Amino acid sequence: MITIIHGEDIVISRKFYIEEKEKSKNPITFLSNNLNLTNLAQELEGNSLFDTANKEIFIEDFFSKKQSKEFNNIVSFLQKQSGDVNIKIWESKELSKKQLNSFKGHQIKLFTLSKSLFLFLNELRPRNSKKQIYLFHKTLESTGEELVFYMIIRQFRLLLAISAESEANQIDEMKNMHSWQKARLQKQASFFTENHLKNIYNKIYNIEISQKTGTSILSLPQVIDFLLLSI
């Protein structure tokens, strides 16, 4: 059986993936950069003194590999082995239908973000702190604080990119966006000056450093509250 674990809620999807691996009696993990047909064949088809009946394959970010002959060969090999071996593929994003259709007869575990999170992100603008703080804490009821902070970083990165006139300044995340998504970002960015966005992004960077180094005396939600008040 092939199980594909994906979705925008990477914190919960990753937690599910790790728990599945911890339950496995004989987990074998491949990252995208060390996954090739030879390694897979050696693990699943090679002669071994160990019992291979309980082997389970865990693959991380398989779809980050470029489409190629090798990619297609790995897909075919995994499909062939899936009748005898459990294969779990974790992706740090939500996959497209085309990507999901690479495998046949697979199980899908999709982890989506809450609607309140996107509502909160869309309300990030000056002189709106009361509503932002309310929506922030509403979002925390269903979404982990680390993921919310990551999405705040992402939102301001997108706002900075959309505010730049040059196409060369656009980041990869924007290049694949629909026109309506860009239009919504442009409207949100219009509430800020470019310098204002840069100052906020600098504050976010300092928060990230203080959280990673443990130098902040406040919890992450408390720090975000102060950030929202300062926007």
Side-chain angles (χ1 to χ4, degrees):
M1 169 68 76
I2 296 174
T3 303
I4 299 176
I5 304 160
H6 72 123
E8 291 183 313
D9 193 340
I10 59 174
V11 173
I12 302 301
S13 72
R14 183 71 179 176
K15 182 174 180 291
F16 175 83
Y17 171 78
I18 295 299
E19 288 174 349
E20 289 294 299
K21 190 155 62 169
E22 288 174 347
K23 288 190 293 185
S24 176
K25 293 181 180 178
N26 192 3
I28 301 166
T29 302
F30 289 98
L31 305 180
S32 61
N33 60 359
N34 70 355
L35 177 65
N36 57 60
L37 198 57
T38 301
N39 290 343
L40 277 171
Q42 286 176 343
E43 288 291 351
L44 296 176
E45 291 185 339
N47 295 324
S48 174
L49 296 176
F50 299 97
D51 179 19
T52 60
N54 294 318
K55 279 187 177 180
E56 286 189 280
I57 299 297
F58 292 83
I59 302 173
E60 300 185 17
D61 284 323
F62 172 60
F63 287 92
S64 67
K65 295 178 74 68
K66 292 182 179 180
Q67 290 278 351
S68 62
K69 184 178 179 180
E70 184 192 38
F71 178 92
N72 294 330
N73 287 339
I74 292 173
V75 169
S76 297
F77 180 80
L78 291 173
Q79 195 78 60
K80 178 183 175 182
Q81 297 292 328
S82 63
D84 302 314
V85 180
N86 283 326
I87 301 164
K88 293 182 171 64
I89 300 172
W90 177 79
E91 294 293 326
S92 56
K93 60 185 179 182
E94 184 172 347
L95 298 175
S96 66
K97 288 184 178 180
K98 182 180 179 180
Q99 289 172 316
L100 291 172
N101 289 336
S102 298
F103 294 99
K104 298 177 182 179
H106 56 274
Q107 184 179 28
I108 298 173
K109 294 286 185 180
L110 174 62
F111 295 84
T112 58
L113 295 170
S114 68
K115 292 181 179 178
S116 62
L117 174 58
F118 289 106
L119 182 59
F120 161 65
L121 295 172
N122 292 334
E123 290 293 334
L124 291 172
R125 62 175 184 266
R127 297 178 293 280
N128 196 34
S129 57
K130 185 177 180 180
K131 188 171 185 180
Q132 288 168 177
I133 290 174
Y134 168 77
L135 290 172
F136 168 54
H137 287 275
K138 187 72 177 175
T139 301
L140 289 179
E141 295 175 5
S142 57
T143 308
E145 59 192 51
E146 294 87 359
L147 179 58
V148 177
F149 184 56
Y150 166 80
M151 293 300 287
I152 291 173
I153 296 172
R154 177 180 180 271
Q155 190 74 2
F156 278 102
R157 185 170 66 247
L158 292 172
L159 290 172
L160 267 171
I162 202 77
S163 67
E165 294 183 3
S166 173
E167 286 289 326
N169 291 330
Q170 291 192 0
I171 56 179
D172 290 340
E173 289 171 285
M174 284 184 55
K175 293 175 182 177
N176 298 321
M177 278 187 176
H178 297 293
S179 58
W180 65 267
Q181 292 173 309
K182 289 184 179 180
R184 188 165 63 183
L185 277 172
Q186 286 170 338
K187 181 179 179 181
Q188 188 176 6
S190 70
F191 292 106
F192 302 87
T193 65
E194 189 172 342
N195 282 336
H196 191 180
L197 285 171
K198 288 179 179 178
N199 288 335
I200 293 171
Y201 200 74
N202 187 53
K203 288 179 181 179
I204 292 172
Y205 172 77
N206 290 330
I207 291 171
E208 186 176 20
I209 294 298
S210 66
Q211 290 295 315
K212 286 181 177 179
T213 58
T215 56
S216 175
I217 61 173
L218 301 175
S219 67
L220 183 56
Q222 289 173 325
V223 174
I224 294 175
D225 279 340
F226 282 109
L227 172 69
L228 297 177
L229 286 168
S230 71
I231 290 176

